[in-house]
Amino acid sequence: MEQEWFRKRTYKHFDRPVNSIFVENTIDPSFVSTHSFAPLIQFNKVTKKYKLCAVERKRKVVKKSRAIMYASHKDACILSYYSSLLGNLLNNYYYENDLDENVIAYRSLGRSNYDFSAKAYNFAMLESPVSVLAFDVSGFFDNLDHKLLKSKLKRILNMDELPKDWYAIYKFVTKFHYVKKDELKLIPAFLKSLDTPGVEPIATVAELKREKINFYPNPTHGRGIPQGTPISATLSNLYLMAFDKEIKDFCVSIGAFYQRYSDDILVICSPEREGEVSKKIKYLMDREKLSLNEEKTEIRTFDKNKREFTPSDLSQYLGFSFGYNDVFIRQSSMARQWRKMRKSIQRTKRYAEINIQSGKSNKVYTKKLRRKFSPLQYRNFSSYARRGAHAFNSRSILKQTRRLERAFEMELQKIKSDLEKP
């Protein structure tokens, strides 16, 4: 029997992908309560951002590293099921407390980021002039307090104590252990297994111990859950359930707009309420034993009647920048797409040169490239941007997108004319 919450995973871990019998066993609380969870595998996901240095007047590359941990196939199956149960309870809570439109991350709402961003922009246009306040929670997943998390889990389950199966889930995500992927690669047998296609296990736990692989515990005692497991995102929403209700009720009372996407908090209010909002947000964060990243906190004034503005005047939200009479895709997002396009073009060119010179082919194959960058029937950045332009009724987004598309076509045609023989 197929389960809506189940998703087949094909990555390599310390076990094989689960079968239908295990999936069925997952919904049995007694089975879960006695399950032995495996260590997570950790790797660092590095993303590059290009920031303008005001002093030197040039762009600098800023690298951001996040520790991502992924669970074994069996553990991921169990966590997916319990994430589904918890998500359903949270959706009921959001509906009952009129929070459906306020908490938008990690939920199946049938809408995209541009829909939620457009709603914020339309509010700002309607209530202009307004203050747009964007807050960021410092080390969100790493700082969730275990005692508070447990009390919130009991509250949503409406129980005085956690049942054995739920306690097993709670214990796993708070007292987790992990091994580092980079350290696995130092062992020739494990490296070979990681590099070999297929779903055969990397190793058994006994083999890990024999090779003296380090098993690292949760580095923050009493705080933090792993980022990357199937239930992590849902638990982060659970953790802020009381915060969401209280700040939303407060915003309604002062005629303000509130939305939260994971650890990104947005409030749009009248300029004279700006101080109250900041004070309230900080107070509620302190109560949840979390803190705000002051460096990432942005406060902008939005006035639709202002005709001249600089990039520093723009409000940023969910990948879009709000101007006073139009909306743009964030400059960093567009720059990232330009880099991806150029790298993909160069990669295709290299492969085509090798194949044509060796006689394996006499043409440049572009199907994969078009899937990535063509605005036709494919779901990619270009088609997403065009839907965003429609949601905002923005000529600027359309211009940004068309410029990228034209450059892509020109680069593509240049490769074909250079390499393909008449």
Side-chain angles (χ1 to χ4, degrees), residues 129-134 267-269 271 274 296-303 310-316 322 324:
V130 292
S131 290
V132 181
L133 296 83
V267 176
I268 304 175
C269 63
E274 185 182 298
K296 290 187 176 181
T297 296
E298 292 185 356
I299 300 177
R300 300 281 187 269
T301 299
F302 182 98
D303 185 349
T310 65
S312 62
D313 293 323
L314 298 175
S315 300
Q316 315 281 348
F322 299 166
Y324 300 122

Side-chain angles (χ1 to χ4, degrees), residues 355-367:
N355 290 332
I356 291 173
Q357 288 172 7
S358 65
K360 291 181 179 179
S361 175
N362 61 357
K363 62 180 294 186
V364 179
Y365 293 96
T366 61
K367 187 175 181 180

Side-chain angles (χ1 to χ4, degrees), residues 359-396:
K360 291 181 179 179
S361 175
N362 61 357
K363 62 180 294 186
V364 179
Y365 293 96
T366 61
K367 187 175 181 180
K368 287 186 178 179
L369 266 181
R370 291 195 178 280
R371 282 187 177 277
K372 286 184 178 180
F373 301 104
S374 171
L376 301 177
Q377 72 271 31
Y378 307 117
R379 294 186 70 84
N380 53 26
F381 177 83
S382 186
S383 60
Y384 172 84
R386 283 175 172 268
R387 293 195 301 273
H390 177 74
F392 284 104
N393 192 26
S394 168
R395 292 180 59 84
S396 294

Side-chain angles (χ1 to χ4, degrees), residues 191-334:
L191 176 60
K192 181 179 179 181
S193 179
L194 282 165
D195 289 341
T196 303
V199 292
E200 287 299 306
I202 300 167
T204 64
V205 174
E207 289 170 334
L208 296 176
K209 291 179 178 178
R210 187 167 64 242
E211 294 292 346
K212 297 182 180 179
I213 292 291
N214 291 315
F215 287 65
Y216 296 93
N218 179 357
T220 50
H221 180 68
R223 294 181 292 116
I225 64 173
Q227 188 171 355
T229 79
I231 201 171
S232 300
T234 315
L235 286 173
S236 71
N237 272 347
L238 168 74
Y239 193 87
L240 290 181
M241 59 186 288
F243 169 88
D244 288 323
K245 183 179 186 311
E246 195 156 340
I247 194 63
K248 180 259 179 183
D249 289 345
F250 171 75
C251 286
V252 168
S253 72
I254 63 170
F257 176 94
Y258 167 65
Q259 239 177 39
R260 178 176 67 81
Y261 188 97
S262 187
D263 56 351
D264 292 326
I265 298 165
L266 179 77
V267 176
I268 304 175
C269 63
S270 59
E272 58 268 21
R273 296 282 193 173
E274 185 182 298
E276 283 182 74
V277 170
S278 295
K279 186 177 179 181
K280 184 73 172 180
I281 293 279
K282 188 178 185 309
Y283 165 76
L284 293 177
M285 280 288 123
D286 288 343
R287 192 183 67 182
E288 302 294 352
K289 298 187 178 181
L290 294 170
S291 59
L292 296 173
N293 188 332
E294 299 296 340
E295 290 184 1
K296 290 187 176 181
T297 296
E298 292 185 356
I299 300 177
R300 300 281 187 269
T301 299
F302 182 98
D303 185 349
K304 66 182 179 184
N305 295 317
K306 188 175 180 180
R307 295 304 172 194
E308 294 184 6
F309 60 90
T310 65
S312 62
D313 293 323
L314 298 175
S315 300
Q316 315 281 348
Y317 186 52
L318 297 181
F320 297 92
S321 300
F322 299 166
Y324 300 122
N325 53 9
D326 207 348
V327 181
F328 311 83
I329 295 174
R330 287 182 68 166
Q331 188 176 11
S332 59
S333 299
M334 287 304 304

Side-chain angles (χ1 to χ4, degrees), residues 7-245:
R7 178 171 64 86
K8 187 176 180 181
R9 293 170 167 83
T10 57
Y11 53 69
K12 279 184 172 281
H13 214 284
F14 304 132
D15 61 352
R16 295 178 177 84
V18 299
N19 56 30
S20 58
I21 296 175
F22 189 91
V23 175
E24 291 301 315
N25 286 337
T26 298
I27 65 177
D28 179 1
S30 62
F31 176 81
V32 174
S33 63
T34 57
H35 174 74
S36 295
F37 288 89
L40 301 159
I41 296 179
Q42 182 260 2
F43 69 95
N44 290 319
K45 184 177 181 180
V46 179
T47 54
K48 293 181 181 179
K49 289 189 176 181
Y50 290 75
K51 290 191 175 182
L52 182 65
C53 179
V55 178
E56 300 178 21
R57 293 186 175 276
K58 64 180 182 180
R59 294 188 180 280
K60 285 191 173 182
V61 179
V62 179
K63 293 183 178 180
K64 180 180 179 181
S65 180
R66 287 187 301 158
I68 303 297
M69 304 182 194
Y70 59 103
S72 70
H73 293 285
K74 291 178 180 177
D75 297 351
C77 180
I78 291 172
L79 296 175
S80 294
Y81 174 59
Y82 280 80
S83 177
S84 174
L85 295 178
L86 182 58
N88 290 335
L89 292 172
L90 280 172
N91 282 335
N92 291 337
Y93 174 82
Y94 295 143
Y95 177 77
E96 291 168 0
N97 290 279
D98 198 22
L99 285 162
D100 253 348
E101 299 292 319
N102 306 99
V103 183
I104 59 176
Y106 316 128
R107 301 177 61 209
S108 299
L109 298 173
R111 282 170 285 174
S112 295
N113 283 358
Y114 50 73
D115 293 310
F116 298 112
S117 190
K119 185 174 182 181
Y121 175 69
N122 290 336
F123 181 91
M125 287 290 287
L126 183 66
E127 301 295 329
S128 174
V130 292
S131 290
V132 181
L133 296 83
F135 304 92
D136 181 89
V137 183
S138 295
F140 187 31
F141 286 88
D142 295 335
N143 288 298
L144 302 187
D145 183 84
H146 292 170
K147 289 183 179 179
L148 283 178
L149 179 64
K150 188 177 183 180
S151 68
K152 294 168 191 293
L153 188 54
K154 289 191 288 187
R155 178 186 170 187
I156 199 78
L157 294 173
N158 195 26
M159 293 183 177
D160 295 330
E161 294 296 332
L162 292 180
K164 290 182 179 179
D165 56 329
W166 275 104
Y167 181 75
I169 301 297
Y170 165 77
K171 185 178 179 181
F172 172 68
V173 297
T174 55
K175 299 184 182 297
F176 60 90
H177 284 74
Y178 64 94
V179 299
K180 295 183 178 181
K181 195 171 186 177
D182 285 344
E183 292 185 4
L184 290 176
K185 292 179 178 180
L186 297 176
I187 308 300
F190 300 162
L191 176 60
K192 181 179 179 181
S193 179
L194 282 165
D195 289 341
T196 303
V199 292
E200 287 299 306
I202 300 167
T204 64
V205 174
E207 289 170 334
L208 296 176
K209 291 179 178 178
R210 187 167 64 242
E211 294 292 346
K212 297 182 180 179
I213 292 291
N214 291 315
F215 287 65
Y216 296 93
N218 179 357
T220 50
H221 180 68
R223 294 181 292 116
I225 64 173
Q227 188 171 355
T229 79
I231 201 171
S232 300
T234 315
L235 286 173
S236 71
N237 272 347
L238 168 74
Y239 193 87
L240 290 181
M241 59 186 288
F243 169 88
D244 288 323
K245 183 179 186 311

